[in-house]
Amino acid sequence: MSVDIKIFYFFNNLAGKSAVFDAAVVFFADYLQYALLAIFILFLYLGNYQNRQKLQIFLTVSVSMLIARFGVTNLIRFLYPRPRPFIDYQVNQLIPEGINGFPSGHAALFFALAAAIYFYNKKWGAWFFTAAVLMGLARVTSGVHYPLDILGGAAVGILSAFAVFYFVRKIKAIDSENQ
């Protein structure tokens, strides 16, 4: 048995033993995403940034998330379809999901969010990274992802955010040279 599957079973075997624990796992795996998006909007609204900076942060985060989730993740899933754990093994599945799980779309989306925020605000970015890690662990515990699905999604999200941030900085540098 591979290390990926052993780690998966370590976390997944925690599910199904306590209704309270399972409810917390389902919240982190399926509903934390809505709270994170609301917190991001509040972060922008209440943040000490100029309106132009707020727009730049919003666009950097949004484009990073879209590229990570709907571009790179879908391309990898098309080229390398890896079934989710509940397809191949007997698991404690707490939430319903589709067939292919590598890389994790949730991890790609929310690690892109965390990384893009981190480029602008290290403190807030660290909190969003923590939330993304909790979401990833909950998705493994809930039986819908292997740990490598989460790590793959995290890599996709972070690299997408870095590429978008780098591109935005290049455009900003060129724009300031032309003025």
Side-chain angles (χ1 to χ4, degrees):
M1 188 179 303
S2 73
V3 173
D4 193 31
I5 295 170
K6 286 180 183 178
I7 294 171
F8 167 78
Y9 272 119
F10 173 81
F11 284 103
N12 185 247
N13 284 335
L14 299 173
K17 294 184 169 108
S18 162
V20 173
F21 179 78
D22 288 355
V25 168
V26 169
F27 172 79
F28 283 113
D30 235 12
Y31 298 103
L32 178 62
Q33 60 190 334
Y34 304 111
L36 289 178
L37 293 174
I39 292 167
F40 168 63
I41 298 301
L42 281 173
F43 160 76
L44 274 183
Y45 182 74
L46 300 174
N48 221 5
Y49 299 101
Q50 302 288 330
N51 284 341
R52 187 176 176 116
Q53 286 177 300
K54 288 180 181 183
L55 179 62
Q56 181 181 340
I57 294 168
F58 178 79
L59 290 174
T60 300
V61 168
S62 299
V63 170
S64 297
M65 291 171 73
L66 289 171
I67 288 172
R69 175 58 185 96
F70 299 106
V72 180
T73 297
N74 285 348
L75 178 63
I76 293 171
R77 284 182 178 181
F78 176 75
L79 296 173
Y80 180 70
R82 182 184 188 199
R84 293 179 188 267
F86 60 82
I87 304 267
D88 292 334
Y89 300 99
Q90 184 69 29
V91 304
N92 297 311
Q93 185 180 352
L94 301 179
I95 57 176
E97 279 297 336
I99 295 171
N100 292 325
F102 181 83
S104 165
H106 279 78
L109 194 73
F110 289 98
F111 275 93
L113 171 75
I117 290 172
Y118 185 83
F119 293 134
Y120 292 100
N121 186 311
K122 305 282 187 255
K123 181 180 172 184
W124 277 93
W127 283 107
F128 277 89
F129 270 120
T130 301
V133 168
L134 286 172
M135 183 185 300
L137 288 173
R139 292 188 68 76
V140 172
T141 304
S142 67
V144 296
H145 280 296
Y146 294 106
L148 285 179
D149 297 347
I150 302 300
L151 290 175
V156 166
I158 292 167
L159 291 172
S160 296
F162 177 77
V164 171
F165 181 75
Y166 178 80
F167 183 71
V168 167
R169 299 257 324 231
K170 281 288 195 192
I171 289 174
K172 200 172 176 183
I174 291 169
D175 190 38
S176 65
E177 285 177 8
N178 291 336
Q179 291 181 0

